[in-house]
């Protein structure tokens, strides 16, 4: 090579085809990373939208509590878990006393306010993992995982007293409550989800027949509550 001849471009020189290819690959890689970030952001947004829609589908529009459909699903899951692990499970049903009379006297808008306030009061008495649901109309349900009869009685009485002692503006509001417990002992304990619901329902109506504004556990009604363990149709969809 003579003094006037230029050396050929090396791999590290600006004119190197290898360097240009590396730069192009780097640019494409950066674009790919940017695309992935956009896709991940869209996926997260989509998942959040799906969760939000599921929450709406499972929520009672008026009170913000879980709805009947969610209660039914929760009953199935909780009952199976309690059976498998031999844990207690209690269900409390609540009916607002003389609600139709209140609605007729003060109007449906005032009735809606009562239902929202009752829902809030029930929720304040429940634990985070309890399921508080609007059962339908002026009826509510509290599903109490891992809770025996004494615990169910305690929760039900606390709810009853909280509602009665609340500072109602138009008239005093009270509630009747009935509860039932899966305890894995004795022949009369509910053996199915529908039996658990039916025995709690019987206890609720006993409270109403006995003058309302009271709590009854299904065990107090034995053997009357035993008829519910033989597959009677439940009002929550079983």
């Amino acid at each position: 090579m003579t003094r006037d001849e230029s050396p050929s471009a090396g791999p590290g020189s600006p004119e190197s085809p290898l360097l240009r290819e590396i730069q192009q690959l780097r640019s494409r890689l950066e674009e790919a990373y940017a695309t992935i970030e956009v896709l991940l952001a869209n996926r997260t947004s989509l998942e959040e939208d799906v969760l939000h829609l599921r929450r709406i589908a499972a929520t009672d529009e008026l009170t913000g509590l879980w709805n009947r459909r969610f209660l039914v699903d929760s009953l199935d899951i909780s009952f199976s878990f309690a059976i498998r692990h031999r844990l207690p499970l209690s269900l409390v049903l609540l009916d607002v006393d003389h609600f139709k009379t209140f609605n007729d006297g003060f109007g449906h808008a005032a009735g809606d306010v009562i239902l929202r306030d009752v829902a809030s009061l029930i929720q304040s008495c429940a634990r985070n993992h309890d399921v508080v649901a609007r059962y339908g109309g002026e009826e509510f349900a509290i599903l109490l995982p891992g809770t025996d009869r004494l615990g169910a009685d305690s929760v039900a009485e606390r709810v009853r007293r909280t509602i009665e002692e609340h500072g109602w503006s138009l008239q005093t509001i009270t509630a009747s409550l009935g509860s039932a417990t899966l305890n894995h002992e004795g022949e009369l304990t509910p053996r199915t989800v529908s039996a658990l619901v039916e025995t709690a329902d019987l206890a609720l109506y006993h409270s109403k027949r006995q003058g309302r504004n009271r709590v009854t556990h299904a065990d107090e009604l034995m053997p009357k509550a035993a008829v519910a363990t033989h597959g009677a149709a439940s009002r929550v969809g079983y």
Side-chain angles (χ1 to χ4, degrees), residues 3 22 36 61 77 85 90 97 101 107 113 119 124 137 139 149 171 178 182-183 185 217 220:
R3 185 183 299 269
I22 291 174
I36 291 173
E61 184 177 1
I77 295 171
H85 297 281
S90 292
D97 294 332
T101 302
V113 172
S124 72
E139 296 176 289
R149 174 185 171 175
Q171 70 175 46
L182 167 68
N183 58 26
E185 296 178 3
H217 192 280
E220 302 171 32

Side-chain angles (χ1 to χ4, degrees), residues 113-174:
V113 172
I114 294 300
L115 292 179
R116 283 193 291 266
D117 287 347
V118 168
S120 179
L121 293 173
I122 298 172
Q123 190 76 69
S124 72
C125 296
R127 303 164 298 183
N128 290 337
H129 62 277
D130 296 334
V131 177
V132 180
R134 188 179 179 195
Y135 192 44
E138 67 272 25
E139 296 176 289
F140 298 85
I142 314 169
L143 182 60
L144 303 168
T147 304
D148 59 15
R149 174 185 171 175
L150 290 178
D153 286 345
S154 177
V155 171
E157 177 57 27
R158 183 163 66 249
V159 170
R160 186 204 66 78
R161 188 173 61 252
T162 299
I163 292 173
E164 181 183 31
E165 296 176 354
H166 183 67
W168 301 102
S169 59
L170 297 177
Q171 70 175 46
T172 299
I173 300 297
T174 61

Side-chain angles (χ1 to χ4, degrees), residues 178-198:
S179 57
T181 300
L182 167 68
N183 58 26
H184 308 282
E185 296 178 3
E187 296 181 358
L188 299 182
T189 188
R191 301 296 183 183
T192 64
V193 175
S194 60
L196 181 69
V197 174
E198 285 298 321

Side-chain angles (χ1 to χ4, degrees), residues 89-101:
L89 175 69
S90 292
L91 175 68
V92 178
L93 300 181
L94 177 153
D95 188 276
V96 180
D97 294 332
H98 305 297
F99 184 73
K100 184 179 184 302
T101 302

Side-chain angles (χ1 to χ4, degrees), residues 32-48:
Y33 279 132
T35 301
I36 291 173
E37 289 179 359
V38 171
L39 292 174
L40 289 175
N42 291 338
R43 176 182 175 183
T44 300
S45 177
L46 179 60
E47 290 174 347
E48 291 175 350

